[in-house]
Amino acid sequence: MEHNTKRIAKDFGLDVTILGKDKGHFSEAMEYNVPIVVRGIASALGMEPKIDYDEILKRADELKSMLPERMPCFCAGCPHRATFWAIKQAIRGRNVVFNNDIGCYSMAFFPPLNMTSSLLCMGSSLGLSAGMSQVLEDDVMCVVGDSTFFHATLPGLVNSVYHNLNVTLFVLDNEVTAMTGQQFHPGTPEDRGMPEGKKRIKIEDVCRGIGVGHVAIMDSYDVKNNVDIIKKALDFKGPSVLISRRSCALHGDRIKRRTGEPIIQNEVNKDICKKPHTCIRDFYCPSFEFDTDDRAARILPEICDGCGVCAKICPFGSIHRKGEEAPAKEVKQ
Amino acid sequence: MSQDSKFDLVICGVGGQGIVLLSNIIGSACAKADLEAKTGELHGLSQRSGTIYIHMRIGGDNLSPLIPYAEADAIVSLEAMEALRYIEYLKDDGVIILNKRVIHPPIEVAQLSKEKRTDFITFDEIKEKLNSVTPNVAPLSGLDLAKEAGNPLTENVVFIGALSALKAFPLEVEVLKESVAESVPKKALNVNLKAFDLGYKAAYDGLCQSVECVEREIG
């Protein structure tokens, strides 16, 4: 807007000074709020703001210094959390570069995962990885979602196959464009109520068609088995694609509500739980807390989505579906 | 209802609690009442479990949807910690309608687990901090009231009912209820209206000693 305003001023031969970001009155970055704008206008006019916003903020910051940060995180039941758990296990002891992309999975950038080497723009992860793979010794991997795959990853994939580059692309296929509200995309299964006359394009078909030498599909929730599948893809010489497939938890819930399928939450059997807190420290599902008296893990029923992945990673098999007597798996001795 | 009534409201909570729907319901009630409303969500990444806050400016001649620091008439917080997180927006002696629910972020839970601690932040600690800014804090158990109404998903509507208790809030109860009715599934209408009334009553009981409230029968 600033540059166009200047252009118009020039076109009309106006002799005016136009202040804005170019002259440093406003920042090029940041989400603007009232104090930022007031300060910008005041500095352009050579005035001081009437209200001392810093003082207000200082008092507020003191009051809220006790608060923990509340980063956005994967929903309860999100297949991405499960996929990233498996990736974390698979890359142990390896030197990896992990290029991130734009989607819900971007949140791998945030703590606790902190799993991002680069995050630029939609579709950038594979292009960057292609370049890096030619100069780095590390395992180079990148992640896109199903929708981003169709939108912006195909040229990078063609490039990787053409040059036979050692990159591993994870396509986190949750069947819809989840982040923006579960819209359909060309890879969405037909039975999701797509309009007539649309044809599903399977991601694996596209990859094989382009000539990717190693394409594997995994169920995001099958976390333990996925570790080896991921290792194999990382070891493959040449481009490899791993499609981690499972419906977005919110989309899955919507389908369940429509079909009347119940969502059965999980719970912790306190008699079996030995409190290693694997579920809390390694999985970071928002449905987990622990009791203050005995430190046993606890699952909040109003948040749990019943995906059951926590039950798979619990080393003592203490998590099971509500209403089921036996633990979800045999207890390790 | 006065047409020049003005009310600046911050609505906050945790992603997934139905905060955007809540602001939509209030917004469409404003449209019905012919009151101008400007609203802005400052956090685009409205994922579940993240912090969410919405600015809502009803009436007045505002050019911007954003409320300056220390000018909000009220904060409605669907989670206790989040009211404190946006406290800089509240004017002195402003009203806080505060959910007693404390949702511990996974990061807090994991940190305490690692350090073998159990001192989770409590509602009372949060309320004490809020009370140092304003005496007008109305705590209510949103989730319990929603369950009492018949469906835990009506938690957000409890807080619209709570707002209707404030005399300064420029929307009348009938318009708000009409807007609720248009925004929820038909079969869930009665539980939502019950949640609305329970929220009204809880806020009335919590605030009527110190703030001007609307008196009405619920039934």
Side-chain angles (χ1 to χ4, degrees), chain B residues 3 23 31 48 56 83 95 106 121 135-136 150 166 177 179 194 199 203 206 211:
Chain B
Q3 280 300 311
S23 79
R48 274 191 183 178
M56 189 150 218
V95 169
I121 289 175
N136 305 320
L166 296 177
K177 281 190 167 181
S179 183
K194 184 153 186 220
V211 180

Side-chain angles (χ1 to χ4, degrees), chain A residues 130-149:
Chain A
M132 289 178 182
S133 73
Q134 302 190 59
V135 290
L136 295 177
E137 298 284 321
D138 311 52
D139 291 324
V140 179
M141 53 184 212
C142 54
V143 61
V144 298
D146 40 357
S147 195
T148 300
F149 175 81

Side-chain angles (χ1 to χ4, degrees), chain B residues 2-218:
Chain B
S2 152
Q3 280 300 311
D4 48 36
S5 43
K6 168 186 161 305
F7 199 85
D8 286 348
L9 174 66
V10 170
I11 309 169
C12 54
V14 177
Q17 287 191 293
I19 296 155
V20 175
L21 178 65
L22 195 163
S23 79
N24 287 348
I25 290 173
I26 297 173
S28 69
C30 289
K32 283 177 197 299
D34 213 12
L35 271 172
E36 193 167 304
K38 287 197 172 69
T39 178
E41 293 165 46
L42 264 81
H43 277 189
L45 191 68
S46 50
Q47 293 296 323
R48 274 191 183 178
S49 308
T51 171
I52 306 287
Y53 69 127
I54 291 178
H55 287 210
M56 189 150 218
R57 314 192 79 182
I58 300 169
D61 50 2
N62 305 306
L63 295 172
S64 163
L66 300 185
I67 302 167
Y69 289 163
E71 286 192 27
D73 295 288
I75 293 178
V76 169
S77 190
L78 275 70
E79 195 276 345
M81 284 190 224
E82 296 312 303
L84 188 52
R85 205 180 299 281
Y86 301 110
I87 194 66
E88 61 270 27
Y89 288 101
L90 191 71
K91 69 180 189 189
D92 288 344
D93 295 342
V95 169
I96 301 176
I97 295 173
L98 182 67
N99 201 350
K100 282 188 182 170
R101 190 173 172 192
V102 180
I103 301 176
H104 299 284
I107 254 179
E108 182 198 6
V109 181
Q111 191 65 28
L112 291 178
S113 161
K114 270 178 200 147
E115 295 171 6
K116 300 227 180 295
R117 288 159 51 198
T118 54
D119 50 331
F120 285 97
I121 289 175
T122 64
F123 174 77
D124 290 337
E125 287 172 306
I126 297 163
K127 185 166 178 291
E128 193 193 314
K129 299 274 183 196
L130 295 174
N131 275 138
S132 74
V133 179
T134 175
N136 305 320
V137 180
L140 49 96
S141 305
L143 194 59
D144 291 341
L145 294 174
K147 283 177 186 165
E148 190 185 328
N151 188 340
L153 292 178
T154 61
E155 190 182 19
N156 52 0
V157 173
V158 167
F159 289 86
I160 303 177
L163 270 171
S164 77
L166 296 177
K167 202 152 222 166
F169 188 62
L171 287 162
E172 280 174 10
V173 59
E174 291 76 20
V175 186
L176 284 166
K177 281 190 167 181
E178 206 180 300
S179 183
V180 168
E182 284 170 12
S183 308
V184 301
K186 268 208 176 71
K187 61 179 180 185
L189 178 59
N190 284 336
V191 287
N192 274 288
L193 293 181
K194 184 153 186 220
F196 184 101
D197 282 343
L198 291 173
Y200 158 78
K201 188 165 184 317
Y204 182 89
D205 292 345
L207 287 171
C208 66
Q209 299 296 329
S210 56
V211 180
E212 258 197 292
C213 284
V214 180
E215 256 183 84
R216 67 180 176 88
E217 292 292 314
I218 61 167

Side-chain angles (χ1 to χ4, degrees), chain A residues 80-106:
Chain A
H80 296 349
R81 172 180 292 104
T83 304
F84 279 111
W85 184 87
I87 294 176
K88 275 243 156 175
Q89 311 304 311
I91 62 175
R92 258 195 203 146
R94 288 172 182 261
N95 291 323
V96 297
V97 172
F98 178 75
N99 294 313
N100 205 334
D101 217 290
I102 306 297
C104 290
Y105 44 87
S106 300

Side-chain angles (χ1 to χ4, degrees), chain A residues 37-215:
Chain A
V37 175
V38 167
R39 274 192 216 109
I41 294 172
S43 81
L45 297 175
M47 296 164 66
E48 284 294 316
K50 275 188 202 150
I51 299 165
D52 189 350
Y53 291 114
D54 289 334
E55 189 53 39
I56 298 171
L57 204 55
K58 201 177 135 213
R59 184 179 75 158
D61 283 345
E62 274 164 28
L63 285 173
K64 55 186 162 180
S65 59
M66 67 189 285
L67 290 181
E69 279 191 278
R70 194 188 296 278
M71 300 281 186
C73 74
F74 299 127
C75 303
C78 176
H80 296 349
R81 172 180 292 104
T83 304
F84 279 111
W85 184 87
I87 294 176
K88 275 243 156 175
Q89 311 304 311
I91 62 175
R92 258 195 203 146
R94 288 172 182 261
N95 291 323
V96 297
V97 172
F98 178 75
N99 294 313
N100 205 334
D101 217 290
I102 306 297
C104 290
Y105 44 87
S106 300
M107 288 189 285
F109 170 80
F110 292 131
L113 280 167
N114 297 316
M115 263 181 69
T116 296
S117 312
S118 78
L119 175 57
L120 185 62
C121 63
M122 194 169 269
S124 65
S125 67
L126 186 53
L128 285 166
S129 300
M132 289 178 182
S133 73
Q134 302 190 59
V135 290
L136 295 177
E137 298 284 321
D138 311 52
D139 291 324
V140 179
M141 53 184 212
C142 54
V143 61
V144 298
D146 40 357
S147 195
T148 300
F149 175 81
F150 286 109
H151 181 65
T153 311
L154 296 176
L157 196 57
V158 169
N159 182 55
S160 304
V161 171
Y162 179 65
H163 294 292
N164 195 32
L165 302 173
N166 279 330
V167 291
T168 300
L169 170 70
F170 289 87
V171 182
L172 305 193
D173 180 3
N174 56 15
E175 302 184 333
V176 285
T177 311
M179 190 179 199
T180 51
Q182 307 167 31
Q183 294 85 358
F184 301 141
H185 62 67
T188 303
E190 286 97 343
D191 62 1
R192 296 300 154 78
M194 270 209 281
E196 286 276 308
K198 309 288 182 223
K199 182 176 162 56
R200 180 187 184 194
I201 303 165
K202 286 189 178 169
I203 294 168
E204 55 272 34
D205 292 351
V206 175
C207 296
R208 290 188 185 115
I210 288 174
V212 177
H214 183 96
V215 180

